[in-house]
Amino acid sequence: MNLQTTLAEEAGSKVRERCCIVTRQVLPEERLVRYVLDPQGGLVPDLAARLPGRGMWVSANRATLERAIGKGHFSRAANAPVAVTKDIVNRVEKLLVARIAGDLGLARRAGQLILGFENVARALAGTSPPPVLIEASDGADDGRRKLVGMVKGAAPVIIDCLTRAELSLALGRENVVHAALKSGRLSERLAADAGRLRGFRCGPAA
């Protein structure tokens, strides 16, 4: 069970679901990306699902979005011609990176982040370990295994979709490889966006 589902159940909230216009699967919103049309009929990604207009939902992975574009699913769903830029698939990936980086910055300023191997290790071995472990995708596997092995209770959710350079830029620190996120309101959104980004970087199975 993923973190966002767990937190929603604990809060007693109802998970909102949408239908992918390509696969026709009904999925939780955090596993899809919403798209709308601008006034000129151009396709616009709406990661926050707040833009006005009729939303078209697509499973959050590169292959399904490419299929939606290549097979004309957006035009059929909109019942109108849809202009799609050549770079939209990569643009969605970059927007997800920017959204995650922004939330990590918010978490750091709010004091919800723990940075550095030793600090994360102490927190994971404590009585109230952080529920989210953040690992650079290009970091050494050995360090990650050691940290996970220190957990005495439930295994943390691991966010590992950002590179060392992307984490360092987001947090304003050099060479960020290991971090942990304390329980808080940002945990659910970060976990959801990390899952969507993995779909664009690693494929649907991610």
Side-chain angles (χ1 to χ4, degrees):
M1 181 177 295
N2 58 31
L3 176 62
Q4 57 266 35
T5 301
T6 301
L7 292 177
E9 288 179 352
E10 289 177 354
S13 61
K14 184 177 181 180
V15 177
R16 296 176 60 181
E17 295 181 327
R18 302 289 181 177
C19 180
C20 172
I21 65 171
V22 180
T23 66
R24 310 310 300 174
Q25 283 185 293
V26 176
L27 299 169
E29 282 189 4
E30 64 267 12
R31 294 180 58 188
L32 301 108
V33 175
R34 182 177 186 260
Y35 300 85
V36 297
L37 299 184
D38 64 21
Q40 291 73 43
L43 191 67
V44 179
D46 180 21
L47 301 185
R50 293 176 181 171
L51 293 178
R54 179 184 176 185
M56 296 172 284
W57 297 80
V58 177
S59 298
N61 63 77
R62 181 176 292 269
T64 306
L65 178 55
E66 289 175 343
R67 181 180 166 193
I69 297 167
K71 299 294 185 180
H73 286 280
F74 286 113
S75 294
R76 285 197 292 274
N79 197 27
V82 175
V84 183
T85 59
K86 294 181 180 180
D87 68 337
I88 191 166
V89 178
N90 290 332
R91 183 151 59 97
V92 173
E93 179 182 336
K94 290 177 181 178
L95 288 171
L96 283 167
V97 171
R99 182 174 162 90
I100 293 171
D103 281 346
L104 286 174
L106 286 175
R108 179 183 60 81
R109 292 190 291 274
Q112 295 180 356
L113 270 183
I114 303 164
L115 297 174
F117 182 89
E118 296 299 332
N119 291 332
V120 172
R122 282 194 293 270
L124 289 174
T127 55
S128 299
V132 178
L133 179 62
I134 301 166
E135 292 287 319
S137 59
D138 52 353
D141 290 337
D142 184 57
R144 181 187 305 195
R145 283 196 298 269
K146 288 180 179 178
L147 288 175
V148 173
M150 295 176 183
V151 180
K152 297 178 181 178
V157 172
I158 298 178
I159 293 178
D160 58 357
C161 55
L162 296 182
T163 65
R164 184 186 314 223
E166 288 168 338
L167 281 175
S168 299
L169 182 63
L171 298 175
R173 300 283 187 92
E174 291 185 0
N175 197 33
V176 178
V177 178
H178 310 285
L181 180 63
K182 300 175 183 178
S183 181
R185 296 182 63 183
L186 284 173
S187 299
E188 180 179 350
R189 193 164 76 183
L190 275 166
D193 284 338
R196 295 198 288 179
L197 181 56
R198 279 194 297 272
F200 279 85
R201 291 191 161 179
C202 305

